[in-house]
Amino acid sequence: AQRVTQPEKLLSVFKGAPVELKCNYSYSGSPELFWYVQYSRQRLQLLLRHISRESIKGFTADLNKGETSFHLKKPFAQEEDSAMYYCALESNAGNMLTFGGGTRLMVKP
Amino acid sequence: NAGVMQNPRHLVRRRGQEARLRCSPMKGHSHVYWYRQLPEEGLKFMVYLQKENIIDESGMPKERFSAEFPKEGPSILRIQQVVRGDSAAYFCASSPGQGTGELFFGEGSRLTVL
């Protein structure tokens, strides 16, 4: 069975500090991983996907198959980054996404 | 494009009543997914549908819950004989195809069972 674990429910950092939101997964196949974000009073939306190897809003995430991790990182947090972040895994069947429990990021001024 | 539309946004039911939640996917999207979010928990997959077909219902409770996505009209998640434990936010998402990884979410329907 596939599983996504986000060990931190809440992460609080000061503006300008580096931030890392942790995500670990378990899946027997070759996973596709994503980060979704939900800003206050907005819908859940895709932030980035590992296959694109892109940086979105300064965020990057590297898939580490050895550690089965897909941590989300940003070198300098901004107040507008405050939101709920969800890590998600898509199975090879491509039927649906399995989400982690989410991490609330609070960036303090 | 108005995005994924869910209604009602808030629904209050007494134990034993029925709850119907509706979801209209984005224009051009034929794949619909329902997720449930219990208080203080993450999103849990319930069911994946295409027009007139249930593709994967592995996350849906076997009893009292059903879902459909008819040829015409919105997708409907139906909960019969609701219990207090059904109180949750129910999110619908749509995608244009299978395996794209990007789901477009609605704002959710919050069900409260008294």
Side-chain angles (χ1 to χ4, degrees):
Chain A
Q2 56 203 55
R3 181 178 292 177
V4 179
T5 304
Q6 294 179 247
E8 302 141 328
K9 284 188 178 289
L10 174 65
L11 184 62
S12 182
V13 301
F14 284 102
K15 175 183 173 181
V19 63
E20 181 180 67
L21 291 92
K22 291 184 169 51
C23 172
N24 289 91
Y25 67 90
S26 66
Y27 181 59
S28 56
S30 182
E32 291 200 32
L33 286 143
F34 308 83
W35 277 98
Y36 277 73
V37 61
Q38 186 172 26
Y39 300 103
S40 179
R41 298 191 188 88
Q42 294 188 29
R43 303 171 188 222
L44 190 62
Q45 59 187 284
L46 178 67
L47 178 63
L48 56 79
R49 63 187 83 195
H50 92 269
I51 199 168
S52 299
R53 297 184 180 277
E54 57 200 344
S55 173
I56 303 292
K57 299 184 178 182
F59 284 97
T60 59
D62 291 319
L63 177 61
N64 186 323
K65 291 188 178 180
E67 296 183 358
T68 60
S69 68
F70 187 56
H71 303 328
L72 184 67
K73 300 177 185 178
K74 185 169 183 176
F76 308 104
Q78 303 299 314
E79 288 181 70
E80 55 265 30
D81 295 328
S82 297
M84 278 294 294
Y85 290 81
Y86 293 91
C87 183
L89 179 154
E90 182 182 65
S91 68
N92 291 139
N95 284 347
M96 51 81 172
L97 293 178
T98 298
F99 285 87
T103 298
R104 180 170 297 281
L105 174 64
M106 291 180 57
V107 181
K108 297 177 286 188
Chain B
N1 197 330
V4 177
M5 302 300 292
Q6 289 188 247
N7 68 83
R9 294 290 313 282
H10 300 276
L11 182 63
V12 179
R13 286 288 179 266
R14 296 190 181 279
R15 281 178 295 171
Q17 291 184 318
E18 179 180 285
R20 282 190 183 220
L21 309 177
R22 287 175 289 278
C23 169
S24 296
M26 284 183 70
K27 188 176 180 181
H29 288 191
S30 58
H31 297 241
V32 165
Y33 307 78
W34 285 94
Y35 284 82
R36 177 165 65 174
Q37 186 175 39
L38 294 168
E40 304 300 320
E41 294 188 20
L43 291 162
K44 302 290 186 188
F45 168 77
M46 297 183 75
V47 62
Y48 161 41
L49 310 104
Q50 294 180 31
K51 285 283 187 182
E52 299 184 280
N53 282 307
I54 296 174
I55 307 302
D56 184 341
E57 56 182 347
S58 58
M60 198 137 79
K62 295 286 187 288
E63 298 179 353
R64 302 188 298 107
F65 285 73
S66 62
E68 62 176 7
F69 189 16
K71 187 176 180 181
E72 301 290 338
S75 175
I76 295 175
L77 179 67
R78 182 184 178 202
I79 312 172
Q80 295 177 289
Q81 300 174 341
V82 296
V83 300
R84 288 222 172 105
D86 298 332
S87 295
Y90 292 83
F91 289 91
C92 173
S94 72
S95 72
Q98 179 177 324
T100 64
E102 182 168 11
L103 300 185
F104 294 82
F105 280 84
E107 294 180 296
S109 292
R110 186 166 297 279
L111 171 65
T112 301
V113 180
L114 302 177

